[in-house]
Amino acid sequence: MQSMTGTVITVAPTGAENSKTDVPALPVTLDELVLTAKECEALGASIIHVHIRDADARPTLDPGRLRDTVAGLRESTDLIVQLSSGGAVTDPESDRLAVLDAGPEMASCTMGTVNFGDGVFMNRWEFIVELHTRMQERGIVPEYEIFDLGQLATLQRLLGKHGLPAGGHVHVDLVMGVPGGMPGTTAALVACEQAIRDLPAGTTFSATGIGRSTIPVMLASLSAGGHLRVGMEDTVTYAKGQSVDSNMQLVARAAGFAELAQRSPLTTREARALLGVPTR
Ligand code: KMH
Ligand code: ZN
């Protein structure tokens, strides 16, 4: 089991899949995102996992908007800014690689191809290697996204062939309950936790459960020494028949669960130290 430190809470406020029309509380403008970020930081979040939208609230990887987003979040918060290199399932590899040009402190890096609802989230080996090595060169700390157990073996292969990430610390995020990926269950999380033991000593993990698996995954992760990711990218239902009001509601619940587990939310400074992300 991982050593029980406090809890890193990541907020994933927007994602690329939910539409503003269906979910009006989704933050899609830079102002909405920055306000959400500030409030979530005050409630205990230390990382923000960012997908952005265009003027029509559609997912985009527009380079100028990405740069403005990184600057806006840095100006107003001390959150670790983690850009998604996953984008939407329709985004080409070249645009996904170009996300790194916006200069985030962290970026996601998915460890394999997975069916993603009706789509396919493509992550070829050569693309993974390109993302990993570019991040190494630029000092961007990756969060390795794991949608299925075998992707942890891919990560082991990646690190064995291409070396440790920038900062030297390995951090993975288990994305559980995607239709096409591993289920959001305690059994699946425990299987991943066992496989993480084969990764470099000190590797940390967070977990998120899509949809209704959010609560079981949170509880399982806390009890296994893992960290938490919550947000409207992953969950828009708070309880049966009750829509999520805001990302703050989800972060507040995660912080409450972390307190209950006697693993209080880490500050941004503490999270930076744990994950090898330089302080600003
Ligand atoms: N939107 C998904 C296709 C990531 O951000 O790196 C990919 C995703 C993973 O959300
Ligand atoms: Zn994402």
Side-chain angles (χ1 to χ4, degrees), residues 49 51 84 229 233:
H49 169 85
H51 292 253
S84 166
R229 171 175 129 173
E233 172 167 346

Side-chain angles (χ1 to χ4, degrees), residues 52-154:
I52 62 164
R53 300 296 176 100
D54 66 15
D56 298 318
R58 285 182 308 229
T60 179
L61 294 180
D62 176 76
R65 278 184 184 261
L66 281 170
R67 274 196 303 274
D68 291 349
T69 302
V70 171
L73 289 168
R74 283 192 173 178
E75 217 170 87
S76 302
T77 75
D78 188 45
L79 290 170
I80 300 169
V81 178
Q82 179 191 100
L83 290 184
S84 166
S85 72
V89 291
T90 46
D91 285 318
E93 289 180 351
S94 54
D95 290 2
R96 292 173 56 193
L97 284 168
V99 165
L100 304 182
D101 299 342
E105 301 167 282
M106 284 186 88
S108 58
C109 183
T110 295
M111 285 299 106
T113 297
V114 64
N115 284 325
F116 198 88
D118 296 338
V120 178
F121 182 31
M122 275 292 294
N123 294 284
R124 298 179 306 117
W125 170 252
E126 291 82 359
F127 176 68
I128 292 171
V129 170
E130 189 68 33
L131 261 179
H132 173 78
T133 50
R134 282 197 199 189
M135 282 195 236
Q136 273 175 332
E137 286 159 15
R138 295 172 190 207
I140 299 171
V141 176
E143 176 178 271
Y144 299 105
E145 306 294 333
I146 305 296
F147 289 75
D148 227 332
L149 181 62
Q151 294 182 2
L152 286 166
T154 302

Side-chain angles (χ1 to χ4, degrees), residues 159-238:
L159 300 175
K161 281 186 182 287
H162 297 280
L164 287 171
H169 177 86
V170 179
H171 180 65
V172 311
D173 179 46
L174 309 174
V175 186
M176 313 183 74
V178 168
M182 64 183 152
T185 60
T186 301
L189 187 135
V190 169
C192 289
E193 195 269 335
Q194 297 278 323
I196 287 168
R197 295 177 193 206
D198 294 334
L199 294 172
T203 295
T204 49
F205 75 92
S206 59
T208 182
I210 305 299
R212 72 179 61 158
S213 67
T214 185
I215 290 177
V217 166
M218 259 197 289
L219 293 171
S221 189
L222 283 170
S223 68
H227 301 273
L228 303 178
R229 171 175 129 173
V230 293
M232 294 172 78
E233 172 167 346
D234 302 332
T235 318
V236 290
T237 304
Y238 190 75

